[in-house]
Amino acid sequence: GKQPLNTMSDGSNQKDFIENADGSLLLDHKGQPISVDKFLSTKPLRKEVSTRQGPGGMKLFYMGGDVITKTLNEAFGYDGWSLEVKDKTQLDPMKDDKGRYIVAFTATVRITHLRTGAFREDCGAGDAIDRSLASASGNALKGAVTDAMKRAARHFGEKLGNSLYHDDFSVNKAPNTLKDACDMLDLERAKGRFGFDKDRKKMIPAQQQQQQQQSTA
């Protein structure tokens, strides 16, 4: 019979794979289509990670809201996800000694993958200072929503910033290209399933000895 629209020869849905701008499937360097799950499991590229100075001069890593939005569009399609502000709270505005308004907001947002209905929620905070109360309020709310969006998005995978929360994260080790990112993921998954070479070499004699004991028992 006729193959259903958006269904591939193996029965999987084309929307389960990353697409190019022209609708064709994005292929890796091995000629295989890249699934959404694999794409989201890769680490963000070095150019997608920014740094800023934190408390005590500590270097903090983050991904900008524009990068998160771009990655969500690449993974789910520009019409494949939605962002909903579930709650927002404004703290009481104050004025500093220069007469400027200090405004802070907290917000909770939900990101939904429309095709499957899967969603993630998280909260964020933002603050702003301006002589205009309206400008300070708008910038603070925008900052809170963006912060919450980034926090919610990371629950969809390493590509969306979850890897930045790992203790061993290093921007110097971040992949430069998607090819590098896919290779790193394949290597990590192989090590996770089979262990390092030196560990396997230790295990093989023990397994052989155990098999010999079982055969002689």
Side-chain angles (χ1 to χ4, degrees):
K2 187 176 180 180
Q3 184 172 304
L5 187 65
N6 293 330
T7 300
M8 301 177 68
S9 59
D10 63 357
S12 59
N13 193 302
Q14 182 169 332
K15 295 298 182 182
D16 292 332
F17 296 87
I18 302 297
E19 296 181 352
N20 293 304
D22 62 359
S24 61
L25 294 181
L26 176 64
L27 304 181
D28 63 15
H29 54 293
K30 300 176 183 177
Q32 298 299 315
I34 301 175
S35 69
V36 172
D37 286 343
K38 182 171 184 177
F39 180 73
L40 292 176
S41 296
T42 62
K43 289 182 170 58
L45 306 184
R46 185 175 302 187
K47 65 181 180 181
E48 296 172 332
V49 180
S50 301
T51 60
R52 62 181 174 85
Q53 189 170 335
M58 181 185 301
K59 183 181 290 187
L60 301 178
F61 303 103
Y62 71 97
M63 297 176 67
D66 57 333
V67 176
I68 295 297
T69 299
K70 177 177 179 291
T71 305
L72 285 167
N73 286 338
E74 290 176 339
F76 300 146
Y78 75 93
D79 59 350
W81 63 283
S82 66
L83 175 69
E84 179 183 1
V85 179
K86 302 294 293 184
D87 182 63
K88 63 181 185 296
T89 302
Q90 180 180 356
L91 306 183
D92 292 335
M94 299 183 296
K95 277 191 173 183
D96 64 9
D97 55 6
K98 297 181 180 180
R100 300 176 302 181
Y101 289 98
I102 304 173
V103 181
F105 267 93
T106 60
T108 299
V109 307
R110 173 184 292 184
I111 297 176
T112 302
H113 181 214
L114 297 179
R115 189 173 68 81
T116 63
F119 65 87
R120 302 290 186 270
E121 289 186 5
D122 214 322
C123 59
D127 58 71
I129 302 176
D130 199 285
R131 291 191 178 280
S132 165
L133 178 59
S135 294
S137 299
N139 290 334
L141 178 57
K142 181 175 67 174
V145 171
T146 299
D147 186 42
M149 178 190 73
K150 294 193 294 184
R151 290 173 178 267
R154 80 176 183 91
H155 299 297
F156 278 109
E158 305 300 296
K159 179 72 172 175
L160 284 162
N162 192 56
S163 59
L164 274 61
Y165 287 76
H166 299 329
D167 292 336
D168 59 350
F169 175 80
S170 171
V171 70
N172 294 326
K173 296 180 180 179
N176 289 312
T177 66
L178 184 57
K179 172 186 179 301
D180 294 337
C182 289
D183 283 342
M184 290 174 64
L185 176 63
D186 291 341
L187 182 60
E188 288 176 358
R189 286 180 168 176
K191 288 179 179 178
R193 292 174 180 172
F194 306 113
F196 293 94
D197 287 340
K198 62 179 181 179
D199 296 327
R200 289 204 301 270
K201 290 176 182 178
K202 291 179 181 178
M203 292 173 61
I204 290 174
Q207 292 173 345
Q208 291 176 341
Q209 182 178 3
Q210 185 180 11
Q211 292 174 352
Q212 291 176 353
Q213 291 175 346
Q214 292 175 346
S215 62
T216 58

